[in-house]
């Protein structure tokens, strides 16, 4: 939990002396299970660590995108941007990847080629989305803070683009599996009412709120700007084809904008945020509604073997 005094970047008229700023990941963990938040962030229990392969791969392609965007000017040639990305990737891979985490050299080789292909496709001089992302980038890995509806939010944006219409904040992901869409957004109301449990899409909503409101209260925002937010899956579609010389990997990435979802479900999202935010700051960690949490969250929880509520529920059943 991070507490600090509100910065002078807040809108005129705010009279707040101290605010607790919470990240989307912490808030979403609480929305998943209050006891899980207690174990992970309050008691800081060391749970068995899951594989870090995909986390480290994410750092490699995030690092590559950051290097390229920081080095690129709006007038740079597309081929130059592509070459810059291909040159940056090997160093980022070496920095973030631990070969001991792979079962074999062949496995590491395959995933390295897969991620490199994602970077090549993203920065393809012939229509790759990364070309505009690099040219329009005004900040990468930028911390954003906001106070909205008396709640403090804080998160780090992967990339912030300056477009003709205003600002577009981008969050890069491996893929868009389980990322909220207009067809699945109704689950937010169900989660709030305790009739369904979908912390992944709730987290997407929290991220959208944090970055849209955060950039509005940043030094990058000017009155009248349009603000948008999108997730971008770099490896949304992957295919593998055997060749006489080995194999070829094809990768396709694309974005998913959630700005309209945020506007349409604004009240529900902020009610979810308030419930999690106030629960965290008040120190309330009793899982509720526990029967739903038990069925939906406990099966994949790394803390369940030490969780009194989970063990007691098993005995009762």
């Amino acid at each position: 939990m991070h507490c600090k005094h509100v910065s002078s970047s807040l809108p005129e008229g705010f009279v707040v002396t101290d605010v607790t700023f919470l990240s989307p990941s912490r808030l979403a963990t609480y929305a998943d299970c209050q006891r899980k938040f207690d174990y992970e962030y309050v008691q800081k229990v060391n749970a068995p660590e899951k594989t870090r392969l995909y986390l480290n791969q994410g750092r490699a392609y995030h690092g590559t995108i950051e290097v390229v965007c920081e080095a690129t000017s709006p007038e740079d040639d597309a081929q130059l941007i592509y070459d810059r990305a291909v040159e940056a990737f090997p160093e980022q891979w070496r920095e973030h990847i631990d070969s001991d985490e792979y079962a074999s050299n062949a496995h590491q080789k395959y995933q390295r080629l897969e991620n490199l292909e994602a970077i090549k496709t993203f920065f393809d001089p012939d229509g790759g989305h990364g070309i505009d992302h690099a040219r329009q980038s005004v900040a990468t890995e930028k911390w954003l803070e906001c106070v909205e509806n008396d709640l403090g939010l804080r998160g780090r944006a992967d990339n912030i683009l300056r477009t003709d219409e205003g600002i577009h904040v981008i969050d890069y992901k491996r893929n868009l599996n389980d990322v909220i869409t207009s067809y699945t957004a109704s689950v937010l109301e169900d989660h709030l009412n305790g009739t369904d449990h979908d912390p992944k899409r709730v987290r997407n909503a929290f991220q959208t709120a944090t970055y849209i409101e955060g950039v509005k209260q940043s030094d990058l925002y000017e009155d009248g700007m349009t603000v948008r937010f999108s997730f971008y899956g770099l490896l949304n579609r992957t295919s593998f084809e055997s060749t006489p010389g080995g194999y070829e990997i094809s990768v396709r990435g694309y974005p998913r904008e959630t700005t309209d979802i945020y506007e349409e479900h604004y009240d529900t999202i902020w009610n979810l945020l308030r419930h999690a935010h106030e629960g965290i700051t008040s120190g309330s960690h009793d899982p509720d509604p526990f029967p739903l949490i038990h069925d939906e969250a406990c099966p994949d929880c790394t803390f369940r073997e030490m969780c009194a509520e989970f063990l007691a529920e098993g005995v009762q059943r």
Side-chain angles (χ1 to χ4, degrees), residues 31-43:
D32 185 13
C33 174
Q34 297 90 335
R35 185 62 67 202
K36 181 179 180 180
F37 178 90
D38 177 31
Y39 285 138
E40 185 168 344
Y41 291 109
V42 181
Q43 299 189 47

Side-chain angles (χ1 to χ4, degrees), residues 58-259:
R59 289 172 174 165
Y61 58 68
H62 275 90
T64 301
I65 293 171
E66 181 181 5
V67 168
V68 174
C69 290
E70 291 295 323
T72 298
S73 300
E75 65 276 3
D76 281 359
D77 179 73
Q79 185 63 48
L80 173 63
I81 297 172
Y82 173 85
D83 292 342
R84 188 176 285 145
V86 173
E87 181 180 348
F89 177 80
E91 182 177 348
Q92 292 296 318
W93 187 266
R94 286 192 298 269
E95 179 179 346
H96 295 292
I97 299 301
D98 183 358
S99 59
D100 292 338
E101 294 179 344
Y102 286 90
S104 65
N105 289 333
H107 184 208
Q108 180 182 187
K109 179 182 178 182
Y110 175 84
Q111 293 209 317
R112 183 185 185 280
L113 289 174
E114 184 181 54
N115 281 268
L116 176 58
E117 190 61 31
I119 290 295
K120 288 181 175 180
T121 301
F122 183 59
F123 288 108
D124 187 344
D126 186 17
H129 292 137
I131 300 300
D132 282 342
H133 283 212
R135 287 172 172 165
Q136 296 174 348
S137 177
V138 293
T140 58
E141 301 299 323
K142 181 177 176 64
W143 285 102
L144 297 173
E145 291 182 350
C146 70
V147 175
E148 181 78 1
N149 297 314
D150 300 324
L151 302 179
L153 303 179
R154 183 175 191 260
R156 186 163 61 183
D158 291 340
N159 200 0
I160 302 177
L161 314 182
R162 180 69 163 88
T163 67
D164 292 338
E165 296 79 22
I167 293 177
H168 195 169
V169 184
I170 308 293
D171 184 85
Y172 298 107
K173 301 174 69 67
R174 180 177 178 85
N175 57 56
L176 299 179
N177 295 345
D178 297 324
V179 169
I180 195 168
T181 69
S182 59
Y183 299 106
T184 60
S186 61
V187 77
L188 299 175
E189 185 73 28
D190 296 336
H191 191 108
L192 179 64
N193 295 333
T195 58
D196 202 347
H197 191 78
D198 200 330
K200 290 182 180 179
R201 292 182 175 90
V202 169
R203 176 173 178 166
N204 297 156
F206 288 178
Q207 290 173 295
T208 305
T210 298
Y211 296 126
I212 287 180
E213 301 302 339
V215 82
K216 287 180 182 178
Q217 296 182 26
S218 75
D219 56 354
L220 298 175
Y221 181 76
E222 300 173 5
D223 288 342
M225 280 184 168
T226 297
V227 175
R228 301 164 58 197
F229 175 78
S230 294
F231 295 99
Y232 193 101
L234 289 159
L235 294 98
N236 275 316
R237 297 286 184 269
T238 61
S239 61
F240 173 93
E241 183 179 353
S242 297
T243 66
Y247 55 82
E248 290 183 355
I249 301 173
S250 298
V251 178
R252 179 188 171 211
Y254 48 82
R256 180 172 299 163
E257 185 171 353
T258 54
T259 311

Side-chain angles (χ1 to χ4, degrees), residues 180-182 185 188 258-266 269:
I180 195 168
T181 69
S182 59
L188 299 175
T258 54
T259 311
D260 289 345
I261 294 173
Y262 175 62
E263 293 175 354
E264 182 178 351
H265 298 272
Y266 179 91
I269 291 170

Side-chain angles (χ1 to χ4, degrees), residues 286-307:
D286 292 333
D288 182 46
F290 185 66
L292 185 61
I293 291 173
H294 178 274
D295 292 342
E296 299 293 334
C298 289
D300 296 325
C301 181
T302 56
F303 301 107
R304 68 176 187 169
E305 299 304 327
M306 66 186 76
C307 177

Side-chain angles (χ1 to χ4, degrees), residues 269-289:
I269 291 170
W270 280 95
N271 284 332
L272 284 163
L273 281 164
R274 182 170 299 281
H275 181 267
H277 205 288
E278 292 182 350
I280 291 172
T281 54
S282 67
S284 175
H285 301 131
D286 292 333
D288 182 46

